[in-house]
């Protein structure tokens, strides 16, 4: 068996848009993806449908996956001939233990490659409006870890640091290299550039006290940025003398980045991310296809929201024989009137995907009629150059889910009355029965796919458990698919009691005690105009 390869891939600080192109290519071709807790679930949507996803997160306040176990897993998967992506938050080689994993792979003789990511040491301050270097304020910056209480901050002082960009491990200048001296607080304190501390919230009192005792001015500006680049981004400002108490009083916990230096004062003037209309919102975008869901999510992210995009095709298991039967029925339309009523956009995409796979000429559709069960289905047909002969009334015109589609009913009865054959694509025969025709009248029902639990469901559930502010679905049919797939219940998304013209729902999942929805907007256009989509107030 040919040996596989492991790619140590940086997933960035949390915002899905900060992934590199090379990292995306690795995700799209991997057999297995071993991912961390802080990785955006949107990144897992790049995985192949048959790729295996393995969670290997380290929750500082909960379950942890031992590093030795992760190293062994990567080796075992590669020896089984798999192409493996080890997806890590930030950059694998900046306090991400990527060096340890690389050494383990090297020792085992496993081919490996590192794909650098956008490190939180620079990107998180940038999203808070803090440049780590600034003319007249900081000519260099130093990155250190504050994760360990017995390392950098308690070690004896060493020689002064040179003015350069330096990453120091907790305890040694070169991680994994024996015999190096340990820099102490004085070394860092004497560096008058910007000090960026990762994983240091828990030890912040000791860090601040150590820097002051080592000679750093107690009035040095400090900013602590929690969940940078994400909806939960929170910035706490202070000085070395009081920052620990401010953070404690506000209950700020990891993940957070600490910035010490004059540049920390700039966040009050340069807080650009907080000015976006959907800043701080956690939204779910539901589309029928991966392309549609991703486009919806990109639009929301451009307005400042943190988004989880769910494509229903991920939860669909195609029934090839039923798709072929539908295609064959349309091909025989030349021998008699044939009409197809599509109930779901995904059904449309499956039909035309098979049509193209068979190399069929689109002109052979001329003898067939097409109906759309809702406007979203009509839009899907138009993507393939087909204008529906009839479209059901917009679903928001009535809240009665059992209401008979008047236009479709009249059309379908006309088809069978003239001796035609009606094929109804849908998720159940109930949809066909509501058209007012029966088997004896000449219709047949075809279900083109079943539902399953997609591999991304675990990651989606972890993301949604932190709270969801609203849902944007590609119409009620997308929401119906989410319910039938079981994902709505698993993600604890309540069924909306109303829809706007483009599918917005402002229902909030498990709102904090004492909060209520104070305002709702009519959709993406109002958000683009600068109005918040979901206004929560006490």
């Amino acid at each position: 068996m040919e040996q596989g390869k492991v790619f140590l891939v940086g997933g960035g600080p949390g915002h899905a848009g900060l992934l590199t192109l090379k990292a995306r290519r690795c995700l799209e071709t991997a057999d297995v993806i071993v991912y961390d807790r802080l990785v955006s679930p949107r990144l897992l949507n790049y995985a192949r449908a048959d790729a295996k996803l393995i969670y290997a997160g380290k929750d500082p306040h909960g379950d942890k996956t031992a590093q030795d176990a992760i190293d062994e897993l990567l080796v075992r998967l590669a020896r089984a001939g798999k192409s493996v992506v080890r997806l890590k938050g930030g950059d694998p080689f900046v306090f991400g233990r990527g060096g340890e994993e690389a050494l383990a792979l090297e020792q085992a003789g496993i081919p490996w490659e590192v794909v650098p990511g956008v490190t939180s040491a620079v990107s998180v301050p940038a999203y808070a409006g803090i440049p780590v270097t600034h003319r007249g304020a900081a000519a260099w910056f130093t990155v250190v870890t504050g994760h360990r209480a017995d390392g950098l901050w308690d070690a004896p002082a060493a020689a002064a640091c040179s003015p350069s960009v330096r990453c120091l491990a907790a305890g040694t200048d070169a991680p994994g290299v024996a015999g190096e001296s340990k820099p102490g607080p004085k070394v860092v304190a004497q560096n008058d550039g910007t000090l960026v501390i990762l994983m240091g919230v828990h030890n912040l009192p000791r860090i601040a006290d150590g820097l002051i005792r080592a000679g750093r001015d107690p009035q040095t500006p400090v900013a602590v940025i929690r969940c940078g680049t994400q909806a939960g981004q929170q910035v706490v400002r202070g000085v070395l003398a009081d920052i620990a108490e401010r953070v404690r009083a506000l209950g700020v916990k990891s993940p957070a980045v600490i910035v010490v230096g004059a540049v920390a004062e700039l966040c009050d003037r340069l807080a650009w991310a907080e000015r976006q209309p959907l800043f701080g919102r956690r939204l779910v975008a539901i589309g029928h296809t991966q392309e549609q869901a991703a486009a919806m999510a990109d639009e929301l992210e451009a307005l400042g929201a943190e988004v989880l995009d769910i494509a229903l095709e991920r939860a669909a298991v195609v029934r090839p024989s039923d798709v072929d039967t539908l295609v064959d029925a349309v091909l025989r339309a030349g021998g008699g009137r044939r009409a197809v009523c599509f109930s779901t956009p995904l059904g449309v995409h499956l039909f035309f995907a098979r049509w193209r796979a068979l190399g069929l000429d689109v002109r052979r559709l001329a003898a067939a009629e097409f109906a759309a069960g809702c406007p979203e289905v009509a839009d899907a047909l138009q993507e393939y150059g087909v204008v529906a002969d009839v479209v059901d009334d917009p679903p928001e015109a009535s809240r009665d889910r059992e209401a008979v589609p008047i236009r479709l009913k009249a059309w379908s009865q006309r088809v069978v009355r003239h001796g035609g054959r009606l094929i109804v694509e849908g998720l159940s025969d109930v949809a066909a029965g509501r058209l007012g025709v029966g088997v004896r009248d000449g219709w047949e029902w075809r279900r083109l796919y079943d539902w399953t639990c997609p591999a991304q469901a675990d990651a989606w559930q972890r993301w949604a458990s932190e709270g969801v502010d609203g849902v944007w679905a590609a119409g009620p049919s997308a929401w119906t698919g989410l319910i039938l797939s079981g994902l709505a219940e698993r993600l604890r998304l309540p069924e909306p009691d109303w829809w706007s013209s483009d599918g917005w729902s402002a229902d909030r999942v498990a709102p904090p005690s004492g909060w209520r929805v104070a305002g709702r907007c009519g959709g993406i256009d109002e958000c683009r105009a600068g109005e918040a989509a979901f206004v929560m107030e006490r």
Side-chain angles (χ1 to χ4, degrees), residues 385-410:
V386 176
V387 178
D389 294 280
V390 62
V391 182
D392 189 15
D393 292 323
E396 60 264 27
S398 173
R399 293 194 178 192
D400 184 2
R401 296 180 182 276
E402 301 302 321
V404 175
I406 302 300
R407 295 180 185 176
L408 281 180
K409 182 176 181 180

Side-chain angles (χ1 to χ4, degrees), residues 83 118 135 144 149-150 163 207 229-230 265 267 309 316 358 364 381-384 398 465 475 508:
S83 173
V118 177
R135 187 172 63 173
V144 298
D150 59 346
I207 292 170
T229 78
Q230 302 171 66
E265 290 185 312
C267 69
D309 56 328
L358 294 173
R364 299 184 67 177
L381 285 169
Q382 282 197 325
E383 292 182 27
Y384 299 96
S398 173
S465 67
R508 182 181 174 87

